[in-house]
Amino acid sequence: KDGTADDTDRIDGVVNNLLFLLEASHGTSIYITTSMLYFLNLQKNKLALKKVRKEVEAHPNPSFSTLKNGLPTLEGCVNETLRLAPIVAVNPLIADDSQMLRIRDQTIQCPPVIMICLASPTRDPKYFARPMEFLPERWAESCEDEELKVTESGRKAFRLMGMGRHVCLGQSLARLVLKSALYTFASEPTRMISFDPKTSKLQDGIFFPSSSVSDGLVGRVTS
């Protein structure tokens, strides 16, 4: 448009941005998938994995629509992993020195960069009961435990895919990729990952204070 089709600098800039987004999405999916399989293969979470297998068994060859909206247990596993092991826990807001920010009746003169910790409410018992436990069922609309079930305020506090102009544009695709990976893993009824929980554990991730599994999930897949 307007002669930019032959502008090699602009074209290179667009291509580089697209490659960066592709790499970012691939890296994010790998980190979260690894953390999700880590949680589900811990001995204390074997009941959660059993529920995942039951849901997978009930939906052989799921359609796109089913994979997107019809697998609440898998969706809950993705949400719990994001909650307990967020890949990006903070979001930078670049502000002009002349801008003012008002928080809880306090007016703050903005510095050049404000770091917003999106992950801070995810382990707050005010929003999530038993916050340090991996409990995918808390996200289901059918959850009968009213104390455990995520409330509307909890869902509003769950902003690990960003918000506003900082929202992750690829979050819907990312969720599909994560659920597809989990579906494939759980489709084999006896498939497990054996690892040493003393050496494979959560640690700070690529954007502190986010999380990842130390040195990847070093273990052996058995079926």
Side-chain angles (χ1 to χ4, degrees):
K1 184 179 179 180
D2 300 329
T4 59
D6 297 323
D7 189 331
T8 56
D9 287 339
R10 289 196 179 188
I11 292 173
D12 287 345
V14 170
V15 171
N16 287 335
N17 279 332
L18 290 174
L19 290 174
F20 174 76
L21 289 172
L22 179 62
E23 171 61 24
S25 64
H26 182 59
T28 299
S29 298
I30 288 174
Y31 268 88
I32 299 174
T33 299
T34 302
S35 295
M36 183 163 58
L37 292 178
Y38 163 81
F39 282 122
L40 285 167
N41 284 276
L42 286 173
Q43 181 64 23
K44 63 181 180 180
N45 295 329
K46 62 180 182 180
L47 180 58
L49 181 56
K50 183 177 180 180
K51 291 179 180 179
V52 169
R53 294 195 194 282
K54 183 177 180 180
E55 186 171 81
V56 167
E57 184 180 358
H59 296 85
N61 302 314
S63 65
F64 174 83
S65 177
T66 299
L67 189 60
K68 183 180 180 182
N69 299 312
L71 300 172
T73 303
L74 272 69
E75 185 76 27
C77 288
V78 171
N79 285 342
E80 281 294 89
T81 304
L82 286 169
R83 188 179 69 80
L84 289 171
I87 183 64
V88 179
V90 295
N91 203 344
L93 174 63
I94 301 175
D96 188 276
D97 285 337
S98 63
Q99 289 182 276
M100 307 293 286
L101 182 67
R102 192 163 182 79
I103 300 178
R104 294 185 177 179
D105 299 324
Q106 298 294 320
T107 301
I108 301 172
Q109 178 71 46
C110 287
V113 178
I114 299 172
M115 302 299 289
I116 302 173
C117 187
L118 300 173
S120 60
T122 62
R123 300 184 183 189
D124 189 336
K126 182 172 68 174
Y127 298 109
F128 298 97
R130 295 154 63 187
M132 300 310 296
E133 296 181 47
F134 185 84
L135 300 168
E137 62 269 26
R138 74 169 80 237
W139 295 94
E141 292 296 333
S142 59
C143 181
E144 297 180 354
D145 188 337
E146 291 300 323
E147 182 179 345
L148 180 65
K149 187 174 182 179
V150 180
T151 62
E152 185 63 26
S153 61
R155 291 181 183 275
K156 288 181 178 179
F158 187 71
R159 299 288 188 177
L160 294 170
M161 288 290 190
M163 55 186 174
R165 63 180 179 177
H166 295 278
V167 72
C168 174
L169 298 178
Q171 62 176 298
S172 295
L173 177 58
R175 286 182 175 277
L176 282 172
V177 170
L178 293 167
K179 284 186 281 187
S180 296
L182 180 53
Y183 185 97
T184 301
F185 176 84
S187 60
E188 172 55 54
T190 58
R191 182 177 290 147
M192 300 287 291
I193 301 178
S194 300
F195 60 92
D196 184 353
K198 293 181 180 179
T199 56
S200 291
K201 53 188 177 182
L202 289 180
Q203 65 177 12
D204 295 333
I206 58 176
F207 293 107
F208 179 82
S210 58
S211 303
S212 66
V213 178
S214 56
D215 301 320
L217 191 53
V218 180
R220 192 162 73 105
V221 179
T222 59
S223 295

